[in-house]
């Protein structure tokens, strides 16, 4: 009887050995690689080997070593990590969508996103990030969108996007960005849409140097004291450059010098204190210029505006001072068509405010006769002062006959003590 337990034990051992042998036979040959291990950080939810959510708020650092290398969509929201180090996601070569919204990010090191060849969308929004440091977004390629909205970004350092190319959307809106630093976007190429935030108060010299091949560059709701020389130097191959809904202050000389290959340049709905110089020269290779809805507080001096385009000039719905310097506008390149006076307006004097220039009465127009000769002759004329007086007389006659109103030369002469 005592041999029965031993016999049972022997049979049980044999059965277990057979099961282990069968299990080993069905296992794949070769060693088990790291990618086959179903790893997942404790603070995350791995919905699959390609989608990981880490939204619990428990992360103080990016758990790179614990993430499956097969991940394609990685979401890390509402965590406590503050730094993104160099090559923070190295090894995740299949990653396509990376979202880092609502984290405590304050620093992004140089080349933080290097090693992500398949990345298509990068979102860093609603964070305390204040500065985009040099090379922090360097080397990104073929992205649909880089979303940097709703942060505290007040400065973009030079070369922040060096080597980054083929980006459909680069969004910087809803940030307190005040200064666009020199060469901030140098090395950034092939961007379809580059959208800036409102409230920019300074564009440094060479602010767009090295920015090449842009679909839409939109600068809106700026509050500038002036637009200074060489602001757009080095900006090349732009489909649409629009400057709109802004206080531009004084537009100084050489603003567009060094800019080249712009299909559409649009200045729309801006307040402009004065155009010290507005030169679009053949070297700029601007095709079309649209100057629309702007309010000028002072008319440009004779010769201050020079426009050379390969395509069309549209000047409409603008407001100019209808004062002694109006002749520089009416006989300058902005008044490029016969309907200019019908589609542009007076901003002052007060009694003609918002009226089309064509609606001015002969008395309003003849008031220009009171302008002193030294205003008409601000720049030395080719044939001296007498030529300037002749120009003034001819201008007034030409100006008055274009208005659909009754013009009584005797009344004008007696009221304004000036003979045409």
């Amino acid at each position: 009887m005592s041999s029965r337990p031993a016999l049972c034990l022997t049979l049980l051992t044999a059965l277990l050995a057979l099961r282990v042998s069968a299990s080993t036979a069905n296992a794949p040959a070769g060693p088990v690689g790291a990618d086959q291990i179903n790893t997942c950080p404790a603070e995350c939810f791995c919905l699959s080997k390609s989608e990981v959510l880490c939204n619990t708020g428990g992360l103080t650092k990016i758990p790179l070593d614990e993430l499956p290398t097969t991940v394609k969509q990685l979401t890390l929201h509402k965590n406590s990590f503050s730094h993104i180090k160099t090559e923070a996601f190295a090894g995740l070569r299949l990653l396509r969508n990376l979202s880092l919204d609502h984290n405590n990010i304050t620093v992004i090191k140089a080349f933080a996103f290097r090693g992500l060849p398949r990345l298509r969308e990068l979102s860093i929004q609603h964070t305390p990030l204040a500065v985009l440091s040099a090379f922090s977004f360097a080397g990104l390629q073929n992205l649909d969108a880089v979303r940097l909205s709703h942060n505290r970004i007040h400065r973009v350092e030079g070369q922040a996007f060096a080597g980054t190319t083929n980006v459909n959307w680069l969004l910087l809106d809803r940030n307190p960005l005040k200064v666009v630093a020199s060469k901030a976007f140098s090395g950034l190429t092939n961007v379809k849409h580059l959208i800036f935030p409102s409230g920019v108060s300074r564009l440094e010299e060479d602010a767009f140097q090295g920015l090449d091949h842009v679909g839409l560059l939109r600068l809106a709701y700026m509050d500038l004291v002036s637009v200074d020389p060489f602001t757009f130097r080095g900006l090349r191959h732009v489909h649409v450059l629009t400057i709109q809904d802004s206080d531009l202050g004084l537009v100084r000389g050489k603003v567009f010098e060094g800019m080249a290959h712009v299909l559409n340049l649009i200045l729309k709905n801006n307040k402009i204190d004065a155009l010290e110089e507005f030169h679009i020269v053949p070297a700029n290779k601007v095709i079309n210029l649209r100057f629309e809805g702007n309010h000028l507080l002072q008319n440009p001096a004779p010769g201050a505006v020079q426009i050379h385009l390969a395509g069309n000039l549209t000047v409409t719905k603008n407001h100019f001072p209808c004062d002694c310097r109006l002749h520089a506008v009416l006989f300058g390149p902005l008044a490029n068509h016969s309907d200019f006076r019908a589609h542009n307006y007076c901003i002052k004097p007060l009694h003609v405010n918002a009226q089309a220039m064509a609606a001015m009465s002969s008395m309003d127009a003849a008031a220009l006769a009171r302008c002193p000769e030294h205003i008409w002759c601000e720049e030395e004329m080719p044939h001296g002062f007498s030529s300037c007086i002749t120009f003034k007389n001819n201008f007034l006659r030409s100006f008055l006959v274009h208005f659909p109103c009754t013009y009584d030369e005797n009344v004008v002469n007696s009221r304004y003590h000036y003979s045409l």
Side-chain angles (χ1 to χ4, degrees):
M1 300 291 294
S2 60
S3 62
R4 284 186 176 181
L7 179 60
C8 290
L9 181 60
T10 301
L11 290 172
L12 181 60
T13 302
L15 288 171
L16 289 173
L18 286 171
R19 180 169 296 182
V20 170
S21 176
S23 175
T24 304
N26 293 328
V32 178
D35 288 348
Q36 293 173 293
I37 299 174
N38 188 21
T39 61
C40 189
E43 298 85 356
C44 303
F45 296 98
C46 294
L47 304 181
S48 67
K49 288 185 178 181
S50 64
E51 186 173 0
V52 178
L53 305 178
C54 304
N55 301 341
T56 62
L59 295 175
T60 56
K61 64 177 183 178
I62 297 170
L64 179 61
D65 295 337
E66 302 175 60
L67 291 168
T69 58
T70 53
V71 64
K72 296 181 180 179
Q73 182 170 330
L74 177 58
T75 303
L76 298 98
H77 287 182
K78 301 180 180 179
N79 292 288
S80 301
F81 55 83
S82 60
H83 286 57
I84 301 179
K85 65 180 183 179
T86 298
E87 297 184 351
F89 301 92
L92 304 182
R93 297 183 64 81
L94 300 180
L95 190 62
R96 296 180 61 86
N97 191 317
L98 175 58
S99 182
L100 301 169
D101 298 348
H102 297 281
N103 291 298
N104 194 36
I105 299 169
T106 56
V107 175
I108 300 178
K109 295 289 188 179
F111 303 102
F113 305 100
R114 187 161 57 188
L116 301 175
R118 292 177 174 82
L119 190 65
R120 294 296 174 266
E121 292 195 16
L122 173 61
S123 180
I124 304 174
Q125 302 184 97
H126 302 282
T127 78
L129 181 64
V131 177
L132 301 187
S133 303
F135 302 103
S136 53
F137 290 86
L140 294 171
Q141 295 184 2
N142 304 316
L143 272 75
D144 290 329
V146 178
R147 296 185 175 90
L148 300 173
S149 307
H150 299 279
N151 296 301
R152 300 178 188 173
I153 299 169
H154 63 80
R155 185 173 179 84
V156 179
E157 294 186 351
Q159 308 286 337
F161 295 91
T164 291
T165 185
N166 295 329
V167 179
N168 284 341
W169 289 89
L170 176 51
L171 302 175
L172 290 164
D173 55 309
R174 308 298 178 91
N175 282 289
L177 183 65
K178 298 300 181 185
V179 178
V180 180
S182 178
K183 300 180 181 179
F185 298 93
S186 181
L188 178 62
T189 60
N190 291 313
V191 183
K192 287 189 177 180
H193 304 86
L194 177 52
I195 308 300
F196 281 81
S198 60
V200 171
S201 59
R202 185 182 176 195
L203 301 174
E204 290 188 355
E205 180 179 302
D206 296 320
F208 303 98
Q209 174 76 265
L211 180 58
D212 199 352
H213 286 90
V214 184
L216 169 64
L217 172 55
R218 189 184 74 182
L219 300 168
Y221 302 103
M222 297 184 294
D223 187 12
L224 307 179
V225 173
S226 62
V227 187
D228 297 323
F230 308 114
T231 294
F232 294 97
R233 182 167 58 185
L235 175 64
R236 296 180 180 276
H237 301 102
V238 183
H239 189 82
V240 179
L241 169 57
T242 179
I243 304 168
Q244 65 181 77
D245 301 301
S246 297
D247 187 344
L248 301 183
L250 174 62
V251 179
R252 300 187 184 276
K254 300 183 179 180
V255 167
F256 298 107
E257 185 165 313
M259 179 186 78
H261 298 285
V262 177
L263 179 59
N264 296 290
L265 175 58
I266 301 172
L267 284 85
K268 184 176 180 180
N269 299 336
N270 300 294
K271 183 176 81 67
I272 301 171
D273 292 349
L275 292 175
E276 181 179 278
E277 179 184 287
F278 188 81
H279 288 184
I280 305 296
V281 299
N284 293 134
K285 298 186 185 301
V286 175
I287 306 300
N288 304 306
L289 170 61
R290 187 171 189 86
F291 195 84
E292 178 181 340
N294 301 289
H295 286 65
L296 284 80
L297 303 187
Q298 180 178 317
N299 285 321
V305 178
Q306 296 180 19
I307 299 174
H308 298 271
L309 304 173
N312 299 317
L313 172 62
T314 302
V315 182
T316 185
K317 300 178 183 178
N318 300 286
H319 291 72
F320 297 90
C322 292
D323 60 12
C324 292
R325 290 179 172 86
L326 186 60
H327 68 283
V329 176
L330 295 177
F331 281 81
L334 288 174
N336 65 319
H337 55 82
S338 58
D339 292 334
F340 175 85
R341 294 169 180 167
H343 297 291
N344 290 276
Y345 305 92
C346 296
I347 195 171
K348 62 179 182 180
L350 184 61
H351 69 279
V352 294
N353 180 43
Q355 287 187 22
M357 293 181 185
M360 291 175 63
S361 69
S362 60
M363 300 309 300
D364 294 323
L368 296 173
R370 294 179 297 173
C371 296
E373 277 72 17
H374 74 273
I375 293 180
W376 291 77
C377 305
E378 289 173 310
E379 295 189 354
E380 184 178 353
M381 300 197 70
H383 303 291
F385 190 77
S386 61
S387 175
C388 176
I389 300 302
T390 301
F391 168 76
K392 176 181 178 180
N393 294 344
N394 291 337
F395 163 75
L396 289 171
R397 288 193 179 94
S398 172
F399 186 76
L400 291 170
V401 298
H402 280 84
F403 291 104
C405 54
T406 302
Y407 167 58
D408 187 333
E409 184 171 327
N410 294 326
V411 173
V412 173
N413 291 343
S414 63
R415 178 163 301 188
Y416 296 105
H417 309 291
Y418 185 85
S419 176
L420 296 179

